[in-house]
Amino acid sequence: MIKQVAVIGAGIMGHSIAEVFALNGYKVNLEDFYPEVIEKAKIGIDNSLDKLIASKKIDENGKKAAIENIKFFNNIEEAVKDADLSIEVVPEIYEIKVKVLKEISQHTEKIIASNTSNIRITEMGEEIRKPERFIGMHFFNPPILMKLVEVIKGDKTSGEYVDEIYELAEKIGKKPIKVLKDEAGFVVNRISAPEMLLLCTAYGNKIAKPEAIDKYFKSQGLPMGPYQLFDYVGLDTVVDSLKYYGKELSPDYGKCHAFDSFIESKHLGLKTGSGIYKWENGKAIIPDAEESDKINLMDMFALEINEATRLIEDGVASPDDIETGVKYGLNRPFGPITVANGLSNDEVLETLKRLYTQYNLEVFKPSKTIETHKMKEAFNKKPDEIKKEEKSEILGYRIEGKVGIITLMNGKNNLMSFELLKAVDRQLDLIEEANNVNVVIIRGNDRAFSAGADLSQFISNPYMFMKISSTGENIFDRITKMNKIFIAQLEGYVLGGGFELALACDIRTSIADSVIGFPETSLGLIPGYGGSQRLPNLIGISRAMDMILTSERISGEKAQEYGIVTRLFSDNLEENTMKLAKDLSERISPASVYVAKRLIYNTATINLDEEALSMGMLYAGNDLKEGVKAFLEKRKPDYKGN
């Protein structure tokens, strides 16, 4: 069992990794050859812990405990001799890493890991003593915030160590993925590699001005354009990565020399004050330009999907781990598997053929999986060990007596993402079969029952938008047809899709200061999960029209006056809702519930198909794009009525 960790290299990544372990109760020996680096590390850790206190993630006692868990060293032998795990976190230069790893291996018999982001574990393992205990443990920057850890198995790494490091990553609150075949770039950086090559080659061929490309990508909701991001991470880092991939993956990566002049003149981007752009006070000075889509989102998506299929073909990682890796490693709401499920094989194939023809690079050539039209099949294979009752991290479920309790746990706002909808659907499957459950409570947290749909999700076209709307409607409609009483326990924000889930329930309990409403029309949308149909049938056309068209929010007290909330409690919402649910579960017949619900709900004709079709039509309009963009940018929208 791992109790003590040595981190060798106290730079920004190293001391942040040490902090992660210390915060989770592990004893940490943090070592660096340079005393001044150790002093900077102490300051960096102290400042980081203060930020965690300010954000209320820890308290002063938590900070004190973390600091007490870290000891500092200027000697590798002393740092690693009592450690159960030693992690190398030195610069991404092969010679430096191997030198440090050799020294570590001379002074410990325990597990050794490298935080390398690109270099093959097998290659470095050849240089150290007992390579079977050597493994990759790749954290993402900054480790204190980023969830992903890639656990990389070298050719000689023992399988038991892969499992042990995977479990360790989970214990320190990370999202680990297994890299089962040791190839350069592993998963996340490998997925990004073709995009780097495309952007470098396009820059060299003067396809469009970098500021024009960056403006296009920012218009798609990204915080930085790709060339601005290159400057931000350092053009030297980009060039070094391309050179390494040129040796390890494909000669194509070594063909682009568009950034060599920047390296020679020491114009590396943010770190030197200039690169592709000039930088002042940490910000890029980007000339204004007409946006250009000569490199566009579909190009990027196609390249990522193509590389993901190659990772699967080569046995590097599973589809689920690829999706998790890109989501958490690149801090996105979705990965390439989600994107691929929203596109056709032909769309991806044609894009790749165009890129291959335009740039004549083998890296852009469609994979065997995509050429043979097996993209969806490859991405949707599930491991045999995944069962119907798989545990969800965004939805909780427990049973008390004859009451089932669903708890939405998708972040502080409980946004209605695809994943949460699917989790609700899976849980309804189990509840439908549970003869020991007569009443179901659906609840969120004290901040939000659910603040609505997740507007950052990838949606490829109007049909997919319509299909998602229809899927949500059908899931919520299941609630109205089940022989259970569903109670929505409303607290905090009850907005958009969350409000629609509540409307699908049979009884709604609340407190006076809940915030309830449909913001959709202010975003260029309409309620799309049945709300435009259920609300007027519940409270009448006039009031429903007012709520939907004004997008104004009402209190729980006003909602009771309207007839939306059926039980308003002055306090102890959870306790009182549970008391109601237990009473109903013990004295109301499920057979009667089934018949009564059918009769009551059938008194109104609800046309969900029409609502879903309307959602698809809205997707094609500019008002929706402007509304969502304004929402993400936290500004008022400028609607044109189209």
Side-chain angles (χ1 to χ4, degrees), residues 371-388:
E371 279 280 14
T372 56
H373 289 80
K374 293 182 178 178
M375 179 182 78
K376 298 284 179 80
E377 180 184 334
F379 284 160
N380 289 293
K381 285 181 179 176
K382 289 283 185 181
D384 292 338
E385 65 268 19
I386 294 180
K387 304 297 181 184
K388 186 178 181 182

Side-chain angles (χ1 to χ4, degrees), residues 123-310:
E123 186 180 358
M124 292 190 290
E126 295 294 337
E127 304 290 337
I128 69 172
R129 194 168 57 86
K130 297 183 179 179
E132 66 274 7
R133 63 190 170 131
F134 182 51
I135 192 168
M137 191 178 190
H138 177 212
F139 290 79
F140 283 69
N141 195 22
I144 197 67
L145 298 178
M146 298 294 282
K147 288 287 189 183
L148 185 68
V149 171
E150 291 179 321
V151 180
I152 305 111
K153 182 183 185 301
D155 289 354
K156 294 184 179 179
T157 306
S158 170
E160 67 179 287
Y161 294 133
V162 174
D163 292 337
E164 188 168 2
I165 296 302
Y166 186 95
E167 290 170 8
L168 175 66
E170 289 185 318
K171 288 176 182 176
I172 60 174
K174 299 303 180 185
K175 292 272 189 183
I177 63 171
K178 290 182 180 180
V179 182
L180 302 173
K181 187 176 180 183
D182 183 22
E183 293 192 0
F186 312 129
V187 171
V188 177
N189 288 338
R190 170 82 177 269
I191 291 284
S192 301
E195 297 171 330
M196 292 172 61
L197 178 58
L198 172 63
L199 290 160
C200 180
T201 307
Y203 184 89
N205 292 351
K206 298 181 179 179
I207 297 297
K209 292 181 179 179
E211 55 265 31
I213 297 294
D214 279 355
K215 189 170 184 179
Y216 163 78
F217 278 93
K218 287 182 181 179
S219 77
Q220 303 301 306
L222 298 180
M224 280 189 189
Y227 291 110
Q228 183 183 355
L229 185 60
F230 278 1
D231 260 6
Y232 183 80
V233 301
L235 292 172
D236 53 336
T237 302
V238 173
V239 170
D240 286 345
S241 296
L242 288 171
K243 285 180 179 177
Y244 182 69
Y245 295 145
K247 291 188 292 183
E248 295 290 330
L249 294 176
S250 166
D252 282 351
Y253 288 105
K255 293 177 180 178
C256 183
H257 300 282
F259 300 140
D260 289 358
S261 61
F262 290 100
I263 308 303
E264 292 166 7
S265 59
K266 305 294 183 185
H267 295 304
L268 308 179
L270 171 62
K271 67 179 76 174
T272 59
S274 67
I276 296 172
Y277 303 116
K278 289 184 179 179
W279 289 76
E280 293 179 4
N281 300 317
K283 294 183 178 180
I285 310 301
I286 303 176
D288 193 22
E290 288 290 326
E291 67 179 62
S292 170
D293 63 354
K294 289 188 176 179
I295 300 176
N296 56 54
L297 277 178
M298 187 61 197
D299 295 341
M300 299 301 204
F301 287 149
L303 290 174
E304 287 189 359
I305 291 166
N306 199 40
E307 207 62 21
T309 60
R310 287 182 174 141

Side-chain angles (χ1 to χ4, degrees), residues 485-498:
I485 298 173
F486 279 79
I487 302 175
Q489 179 183 305
L490 309 182
E491 187 173 9
Y493 293 110
V494 188
L495 304 175

Side-chain angles (χ1 to χ4, degrees), residues 615-631:
M615 291 291 282
M617 292 171 64
L618 281 171
Y619 181 85
N622 292 323
D623 273 4
L624 171 59
K625 296 173 185 176
E626 168 62 13
V628 173
K629 185 180 175 186
F631 174 80

Side-chain angles (χ1 to χ4, degrees), residues 512-525:
D513 60 358
S514 294
V515 180
I516 300 171
F518 281 131
E520 280 87 346
T521 53
S522 67
L523 298 169
L525 283 165

